[in-house]
């Protein structure tokens, strides 16, 4: 349906949007786009910047030997950031406690299980936005047209609706203007859920893709030493690392490239279905290197890309030992030779460099883009980072246990109801995407998913598009049960486009094709999963804790509610997202 050319998605009919190689294909250091020179990613030298560890902020403090809540103030600032040794400094939006200390990604927030963390998120961003955006899609636009709307979502959190980062709860600098669902300045994260990995990022209506592209993202970890320390996994700043991976492209002046022309410019002047960059960035540096010792390391890998899937592997055959997926531990470790993560998914893995037969190894990627039927990777976007391994053997006190943390297995008998969730993509007369809906509805349409607090439901997610959509459900955790291919797909699509009713279109007669097993590293409790095109994915969705029978310490039914959406950010913005409102009965 769509053809990928370099870092840009281009419709054949769009004559205003072009790319010209200045001195022979693949030979120039620069490409020309809309009259502006772009960096040819294949001409940038890889593995010249050391992998940074982002600064830490603790969401708790020790007072007289007792851990107590802590209040943080984290701002959003426009500043310069150096992505690569040979690139000029880049204009970015960055999180930090000050403009000087702000980073891309933002500081890692360390929370302690059971200890509340309070964060005042402050918007210090001036006009104009550093990237182009499209007002013809549903977008947060201040009445006075001044200021950059932002709102922070803590991805994977089980927290009150007022602190979830609703897309319409946006605010501008100094809270001068706020969105229709805005409720409070200081967010309250209770951290009562299971220990695990989360990340925070912008979630403003229609601007998520550009605000995250500009740099508004960071890691968040909930630790519970009482249950985690006995596992004896690698720990400490030297051996336990947060890796946030994303893709970007750059102009030669260092600024971030984003398309200025849409694939349907007469409908949406700027919006395009997916953003892809050829420069792979880890912790704010392009293709960094990391010096490691011959022992086990823990890497909490977050795919923070707009649309790129990563199928990661080591070029010398080293294994990954998966200990967690998204925000929860697995019941037992799983060994694989690759790690496959969609946008916003998290893989928590152990890598044992003592088993390496070489002293260097590259973490590489071979996922086509868009996934699954797009272009193959190229020389630039097939590399992620390099590890330089100390040749000296050493004693390693960490271990990989046979069992990790035991959580309940999915129990279908606990489900109180089932729902059909259908993913649609709509195209123009020239077969170019114009927008994407869930169940034929936009985000602004009345809520239709109203689960009961403490309940479980079965969701059948029907993907009628040609793309794989990473579906993220705020607040909930789910277990993926199976994926079944739809037969006579075009017949079913025709009926669904007419009736928008899976039962009336006899979905059970079509969902009888090939069954795909859920990959072993993803059989735990998740908050994002890849919805394969032309398949029905069966989920058991749980609206309660998995680690205890405790009730929520907040009102989960409060306004403004939650949401669920595709986490390809360009899809989410236009507008593959629906409200989710919990009820008491």
């Amino acid at each position: 349906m769509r053809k990928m050319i370099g870092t840009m998605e281009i419709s054949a009919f769009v004559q205003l949007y072009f790319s010209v190689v200045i001195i022979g294909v693949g030979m120039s250091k620069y490409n020309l786009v809309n009259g502006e020179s772009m960096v040819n990613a294949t001409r940038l030298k890889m593995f010249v910047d050391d992998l940074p560890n982002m600064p830490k902020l603790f969401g708790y403090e020790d007072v007289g030997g007792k851990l107590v809540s802590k209040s943080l103030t984290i701002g959003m600032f426009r500043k310069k950031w150096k992505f690569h040794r040979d690139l000029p400094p880049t204009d970015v939006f960055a999180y930090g406690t000050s403009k000087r200390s702000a980073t891309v990604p933002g500081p890692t927030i360390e929370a302690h299980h059971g200890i509340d963390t309070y964060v005042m998120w402050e918007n210090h961003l001036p006009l104009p936005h550093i990237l182009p955006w499209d007002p013809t899609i549903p977008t947060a636009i201040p009445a006075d047209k001044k200021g950059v709307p932002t709102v922070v979502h803590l991805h994977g959190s089980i927290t009150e609706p007022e602190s979830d980062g609703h897309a319409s709860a946006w605010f501008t600098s100094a809270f001068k203007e706020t969105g229709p669902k805005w409720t409070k300045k200081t967010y309250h994260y209770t951290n009562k859920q299971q220990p695990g990995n989360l990340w925070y990022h912008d979630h403003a209506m229609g601007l998520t893709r550009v605000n995250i592209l500009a740099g508004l993202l960071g890691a968040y970890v909930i630790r519970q030493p009482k249950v985690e320390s006995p596992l004896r996994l690698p720990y400490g700043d030297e051996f336990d690392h947060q890796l946030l991976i994303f893709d970007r492209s750059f102009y030669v002046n260092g600024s971030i490239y984003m398309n200025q022309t849409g694939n349907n410019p007469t409908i949406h002047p700027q919006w395009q279905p997916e953003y892809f960059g050829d420069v792979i960035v880890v912790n704010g540096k392009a293709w960094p290197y990391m010096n490691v010792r011959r022992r086990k390391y823990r890497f909490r890998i977050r795919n923070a890309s707009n649309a790129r899937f990563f199928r990661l592997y080591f070029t010398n055959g080293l294994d990954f030992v998966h200990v967690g997926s998204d925000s929860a531990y697995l019941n037992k470790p799983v060994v694989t030779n690759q790690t496959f993560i969609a946008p916003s998914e998290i893989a928590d893995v152990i890598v044992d460099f003592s088993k390496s037969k070489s002293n260097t190894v590259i973490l590489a990627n071979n996922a086509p883009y868009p996934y699954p039927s797009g272009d193959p990777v190229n020389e630039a976007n097939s590399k992620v980072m390099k590890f330089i391994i100390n040749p000296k053997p050493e004693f390693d006190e960490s271990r990989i246990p046979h069992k990790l943390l035991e959580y309940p297995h999915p129990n279908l008998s606990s489900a109180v109801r089932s729902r059909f969730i259908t993913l649609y993509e709509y195209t123009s007369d020239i077969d170019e995407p114009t927008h994407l809906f869930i169940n034929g509805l936009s985000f602004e349409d009345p809520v239709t998913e109203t689960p009961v607090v403490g309940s479980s439901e079965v969701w059948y997610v029907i993907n009628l598009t040609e793309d794989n959509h990473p579906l993220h459900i705020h607040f909930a955790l789910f277990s993926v049960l199976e994926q079944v291919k739809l037969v006579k797909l075009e017949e079913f699509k025709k009926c669904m486009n007419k009736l928008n009713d899976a039962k009336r279109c006899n979905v059970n007669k079509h969902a009888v094709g090939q069954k795909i097993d859920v990959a072993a590293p993803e059989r735990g409790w998740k908050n994002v999963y890849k919805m394969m095109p032309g398949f029905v994915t069966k989920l058991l969705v749980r609206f309660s804790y998995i680690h205890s029978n405790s009730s929520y310490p907040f009102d989960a039914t409060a306004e403004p509610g939650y949401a669920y959406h595709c986490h390809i950010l360009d899809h989410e913005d236009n507008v593959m997202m629906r409200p989710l409102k919990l009820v008491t009965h």
Side-chain angles (χ1 to χ4, degrees), residues 75-137:
M76 304 161 222
F77 303 92
R78 179 174 176 174
K79 66 177 295 182
K80 296 287 188 179
W81 183 258
K82 188 81 168 166
F83 281 101
H84 186 276
R85 181 194 68 186
D86 300 330
L87 279 177
T90 300
D91 259 336
V92 297
F93 292 165
Y95 288 116
T97 55
S98 67
K99 183 174 182 177
R100 182 176 181 179
S101 66
T103 55
V104 177
T108 296
I109 300 174
E110 295 260 356
H112 193 288
H113 174 80
I115 307 296
D116 300 66
T117 295
Y118 297 87
V119 182
M120 177 180 283
W121 300 99
E122 293 185 340
N123 182 341
H124 299 285
L125 300 175
L127 274 180
H129 205 292
I130 61 174
L131 296 172
W133 54 279
D134 196 327
T136 66
I137 65 175

Side-chain angles (χ1 to χ4, degrees), residues 44-270:
L44 278 176
K45 189 172 180 62
M46 296 182 179
F47 318 130
V48 298
D49 290 293
D50 193 9
L51 176 79
N53 281 324
M54 312 322 294
K56 284 186 179 181
L57 296 176
F58 290 90
Y60 60 93
E61 56 188 337
D62 189 320
V63 177
K66 181 180 179 181
L67 298 183
V68 298
S69 297
K70 186 176 181 180
S71 295
L72 302 174
T73 299
I74 302 175
M76 304 161 222
F77 303 92
R78 179 174 176 174
K79 66 177 295 182
K80 296 287 188 179
W81 183 258
K82 188 81 168 166
F83 281 101
H84 186 276
R85 181 194 68 186
D86 300 330
L87 279 177
T90 300
D91 259 336
V92 297
F93 292 165
Y95 288 116
T97 55
S98 67
K99 183 174 182 177
R100 182 176 181 179
S101 66
T103 55
V104 177
T108 296
I109 300 174
E110 295 260 356
H112 193 288
H113 174 80
I115 307 296
D116 300 66
T117 295
Y118 297 87
V119 182
M120 177 180 283
W121 300 99
E122 293 185 340
N123 182 341
H124 299 285
L125 300 175
L127 274 180
H129 205 292
I130 61 174
L131 296 172
W133 54 279
D134 196 327
T136 66
I137 65 175
T139 301
I141 301 177
D144 63 4
K145 307 295 192 296
K146 295 180 180 179
V148 176
T150 65
V151 64
V152 181
H153 169 56
L154 180 53
H155 180 112
S157 65
I158 300 177
T159 194
E160 61 178 11
E162 301 94 327
S163 299
D164 186 60
H166 191 281
S168 295
W170 52 266
F171 53 96
T172 59
S173 182
F175 301 98
K176 182 177 180 182
E177 285 207 50
T178 58
K181 299 289 186 178
W182 183 86
T183 58
K184 61 197 304 185
K185 292 182 179 181
T186 300
Y187 281 15
H188 178 194
Y189 304 119
T190 57
N191 302 318
K192 298 292 193 298
Q193 65 195 78
Q194 75 288 340
N197 306 305
L198 299 82
W199 64 297
Y200 60 93
H201 61 77
D202 187 78
H203 207 266
M205 190 72 196
L207 296 172
T208 300
R209 73 198 186 286
V210 291
N211 286 350
I212 292 180
L213 198 67
L216 293 180
L217 64 144
Y220 189 108
V221 181
I222 299 176
R223 299 189 186 273
Q224 190 175 6
K226 182 179 179 180
V227 299
E228 293 182 278
S229 294
L231 300 177
R232 291 177 57 193
L233 296 171
Y235 68 93
D237 290 345
E238 186 174 0
F239 306 119
D240 183 357
H241 291 266
Q242 318 292 328
L243 298 184
L244 287 90
I245 305 176
F246 49 85
D247 55 338
R248 299 289 186 270
S249 286
F250 299 93
Y251 292 108
V252 295
N253 66 2
S255 60
I256 297 170
Y257 161 80
M258 189 175 193
N259 58 283
Q260 297 184 30
T261 306
N263 62 314
N264 280 297
T266 60
I267 301 171
H268 299 306
Q270 185 274 331

Side-chain angles (χ1 to χ4, degrees), residues 6 88 103 105 137 156 167 169 183 257 281 290 299 306 330 355 362-363 372 396 400 431 442-443 484 492 547 570:
T103 55
I137 65 175
T183 58
Y257 161 80
V281 179
M290 179 181 179
F299 297 108
N306 282 36
L330 299 173
K355 296 183 178 181
I362 292 172
L363 181 63
D396 183 358
I400 299 172
D431 199 32
S442 181
F443 185 65
V484 182
F492 183 64
H547 68 292
D570 316 272

Side-chain angles (χ1 to χ4, degrees), residues 284-300:
K285 294 295 181 182
W287 307 293
Y289 68 88
M290 179 181 179
N291 290 298
V292 295
R293 292 152 60 176
R294 284 193 170 269
R295 54 154 293 152
K296 292 183 284 294
Y297 283 72
R298 183 174 184 175
F299 297 108
R300 304 164 189 252

Side-chain angles (χ1 to χ4, degrees), residues 15 59 254 267 292 321 364 478 496 512 525 562 584:
Q15 299 301 316
I267 301 171
V292 295
V321 181
F478 59 77
M496 288 295 289
V512 294
W525 290 96
Y562 302 97
T584 55

Side-chain angles (χ1 to χ4, degrees), residues 488-505:
K488 298 182 179 179
L489 179 59
E490 293 307 315
E491 175 186 307
F492 183 64
K493 280 185 180 180
K494 185 177 180 180
C495 181
M496 288 295 289
N497 285 328
K498 180 180 179 181
L499 300 180
N500 189 29
D501 188 318
K503 287 185 178 179
R504 291 174 63 192
C505 290

